[in-house]
């Protein structure tokens, strides 16, 4: 969530940097020169397991959660209208969800097959539930809710079964989460095979838990403890979560598409460690110059995600002559400017880096003019 840094003294530069790194990672992995030549760290795991790319989305959801207490904490302490707070949450949720639907349909908006779940849609739903839980419960209750979501999801996925499949089947076709998505959404799910959706209904339960991990972290950062106590707490909590995730993995495998409970603990632990590192470097040691590009991305994260998505689609629509046939503008740029001098896999990476550097320039213009596009 982007908010003007002038709006709250609670804002942490390390939080903007973390958010900026996460959104930059999303853009990088979503825009290779060609999908047929990608270095493995920039691809998702085929199913069970993980790659660095599988950390990007949970890291972003974690940061969404961290920002909730920082945005609402001071307002809660000073009183104010509850109605105004809830209206703001609902408004932001609807805008983010609508942006997700816009990206899903753009440019043709084929309503008969438009995908309903999606990245922004999941962010919207997780933000909604995590915000309401934060505003209506205390930390202890939030911990209990987070644990309950993960345990209940584990039991549902391993004890119940989809029709025609065995209990505990965690395959793409046979998992309970996949069955629910096919049943509820029909053709309105992820295009790859139409058998499951990585941002589906059941798997949003543990995704909310990921966001609550962040909300609990944000409350820890708002305490009166010293900065060194805070960073130590982040490191210790992160290590514990990673261990829990690995111990749970043999029984409920780490899986991004199913957003398994082990995945929540594992990625939540890594997010805590990474935030602790950013907090120590940036807010304690004040090593900030290197991080400016990520601040630029972080304060306009949603605008960056939507803008790059629209641009990528438009570049795929525009056709140019290519011998006896035609090629998309994106393909033409990749062939002419990158594949002409590099191997396919290096050209693909170079294209992705150039794409994100182009958007860094565009976002820097907004940043230099103090334009922060909020939702």
């Amino acid at each position: 969530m982007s908010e003007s840094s002038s709006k709250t003294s609670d804002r942490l530069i390390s939080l903007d940097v973390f958010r900026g790194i996460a959104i930059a990672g999303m853009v990088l992995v979503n825009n290779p020169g060609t999908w047929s030549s990608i270095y493995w760290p920039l691809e998702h795991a085929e199913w069970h397991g993980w790659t660095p790319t599988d950390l990007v989305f949970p890291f972003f959801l974690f940061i969404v959660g961290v920002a909730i207490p920082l945005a609402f904490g001071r307002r809660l302490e000073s009183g104010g209208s509850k109605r105004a707070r809830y209206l703001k949450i609902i408004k932001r949720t609807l805008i983010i969800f609508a942006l997700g639907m816009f990206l899903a349909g753009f440019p043709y908006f084929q309503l008969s097959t438009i995908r309903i779940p999606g990245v922004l849609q999941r962010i919207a739903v997780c933000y909604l539930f995590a915000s309401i839980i934060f505003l209506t419960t205390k930390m202890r209750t939030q911990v209990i809710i987070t644990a309950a979501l993960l345990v209940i999801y584990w039991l549902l996925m391993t004890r119940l079964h989809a029709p025609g499949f065995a209990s505990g089947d965690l395959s793409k076709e046979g998992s309970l989460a996949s069955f629910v998505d096919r049943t509820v959404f029909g053709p309105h799910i992820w295009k790859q095979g139409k058998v499951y959706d990585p941002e589906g209904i059941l798997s949003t339960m543990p995704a909310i838990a990921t966001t609550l991990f962040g909300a609990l972290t944000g409350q820890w950062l708002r305490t009166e403890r010293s900065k060194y106590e805070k960073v130590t707490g982040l490191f210790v909590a992160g290590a514990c979560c990673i261990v829990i995730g690995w111990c749970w993995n043999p029984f409920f495998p780490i899986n991004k598409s199913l957003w398994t409970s082990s995945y929540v603990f594992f990625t939540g632990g890594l997010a805590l460690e990474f935030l602790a590192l950013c907090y120590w470097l940036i807010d304690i040691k004040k090593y900030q110059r290197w991080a400016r590009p990520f601040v630029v991305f972080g304060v306009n994260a949603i605008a960056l995600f939507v803008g790059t998505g629209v641009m990528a689609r438009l570049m795929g629509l525009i056709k140019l002559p290519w011998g006896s046939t035609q090629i998309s503008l994106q393909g033409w740029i990749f062939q002419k400017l990158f594949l002409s001098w590099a191997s396919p896999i290096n050209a693909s990476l170079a294209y992705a880096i150039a794409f994100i550097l182009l958007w860094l320039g565009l976002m820097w213009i907004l940043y230099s003019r103090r334009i922060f596009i909020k939702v």
Side-chain angles (χ1 to χ4, degrees):
M1 307 293 139
S2 295
E3 290 200 282
S4 171
S5 56
S6 63
K7 289 254 182 156
T8 173
S9 59
D10 283 339
R11 194 174 194 91
L12 298 172
I13 299 176
S14 56
L15 187 63
D16 286 330
V17 172
F18 193 127
R19 186 190 295 108
I21 291 172
I23 196 66
M26 282 190 185
V27 175
L28 184 71
V29 302
N30 285 342
N31 294 279
T34 173
W35 290 102
S36 62
S37 296
I38 307 172
Y39 281 105
W40 74 263
L42 301 180
E43 292 189 276
H44 289 291
E46 178 60 29
W47 194 240
H48 295 326
W50 65 283
T51 71
T53 296
D54 293 312
L55 305 179
V56 174
F57 193 13
F59 276 24
F60 194 85
L61 275 184
F62 174 84
I63 288 299
V64 168
V66 175
I68 289 170
L70 302 184
F72 288 107
R74 187 174 294 274
R75 296 173 193 174
L76 282 174
E77 293 166 358
S78 60
S81 169
K82 286 186 178 181
R83 182 174 180 272
R85 287 195 292 267
Y86 287 114
L87 285 176
K88 181 173 183 178
I89 290 169
I90 293 170
K91 177 183 176 182
R92 181 173 288 181
T93 297
L94 292 175
I95 291 174
I96 297 173
F97 197 95
L99 287 172
M101 292 301 299
F102 170 79
L103 280 181
F106 183 81
Y108 299 115
F109 299 99
Q110 297 174 339
L111 300 184
S112 61
T113 57
I114 188 172
R115 182 187 175 204
I116 295 175
V119 170
L120 289 179
Q121 294 91 316
R122 171 161 284 182
I123 291 172
V125 172
C126 290
Y127 168 75
L128 172 66
F129 280 96
S131 296
I132 292 174
I133 291 169
F134 167 73
L135 290 176
T136 56
T137 63
K138 297 187 180 298
M139 280 189 70
R140 182 176 179 180
T141 305
Q142 293 164 31
V143 171
I144 293 172
I145 291 172
T146 302
L149 287 171
L150 297 177
V151 171
I152 291 170
Y153 183 65
W154 169 54
L155 293 174
L156 288 173
M157 293 291 287
T158 57
R159 300 294 186 268
L160 301 182
H161 67 90
F165 297 91
S167 298
D169 189 326
L170 298 178
S171 66
K172 293 180 181 179
E173 297 83 3
S175 76
L176 181 66
S178 303
F179 169 72
V180 170
D181 292 336
R182 291 194 301 269
T183 302
V184 175
F185 292 126
H188 302 282
I189 60 175
W190 198 44
K191 61 184 178 181
Q192 306 245 349
K194 294 287 186 180
V195 295
Y196 77 99
D197 198 292
E199 282 80 46
I201 295 175
L202 271 187
S203 60
T204 297
M205 287 175 56
I208 293 170
T210 294
T211 314
L212 288 172
F213 270 45
L216 291 166
T217 302
Q219 291 169 80
W220 169 256
L221 292 174
R222 293 194 75 247
T223 64
E224 298 298 323
R225 292 176 174 85
S226 71
K227 289 184 176 181
Y228 282 99
E229 287 178 311
K230 291 177 183 178
V231 78
T232 300
L234 294 177
F235 274 122
V236 172
C240 291
C241 288
I242 291 170
V243 170
I244 294 172
W246 273 118
C247 290
W248 209 340
N249 177 56
F251 309 99
F252 197 24
I254 291 171
N255 185 304
K256 186 264 180 188
S257 294
L258 295 178
W259 213 280
T260 52
S261 303
S262 58
Y263 176 75
V264 172
F265 269 106
F266 178 67
T267 56
L270 289 176
L272 282 161
E273 300 287 353
F274 193 68
L275 178 60
L277 178 61
C278 290
Y279 185 72
W280 180 76
L281 282 174
I282 297 166
D283 291 310
I284 295 179
K285 292 298 184 181
K286 303 299 181 182
Y287 300 139
Q288 298 179 356
R289 179 171 294 183
W290 67 273
R292 181 59 62 84
F294 299 111
V295 173
V296 171
F297 282 148
V299 296
N300 275 311
I302 299 297
L304 175 65
F305 187 83
V306 174
T308 54
V310 170
M311 181 177 180
R313 304 282 178 83
L314 291 176
M315 291 175 68
L317 287 175
I318 299 172
K319 303 297 181 181
L320 298 173
W322 187 260
S324 59
T325 184
Q326 289 186 320
I327 191 173
S328 69
L329 175 59
Q330 186 275 335
W332 187 92
I333 292 173
F334 175 65
Q335 294 277 347
K336 287 288 188 179
L337 302 184
F338 297 93
L339 197 56
S340 59
W341 56 268
S343 64
I345 196 166
N346 289 324
S348 184
L349 176 60
Y351 175 91
I353 293 172
F355 186 85
I356 200 167
L357 288 176
L358 169 65
W359 274 91
L360 176 60
L362 295 174
M363 292 293 102
W364 212 301
I365 294 173
L366 295 181
Y367 182 80
S368 64
R369 297 182 179 181
R370 310 300 293 171
I371 298 174
F372 306 115
I373 302 174
K374 299 189 298 178
V375 294

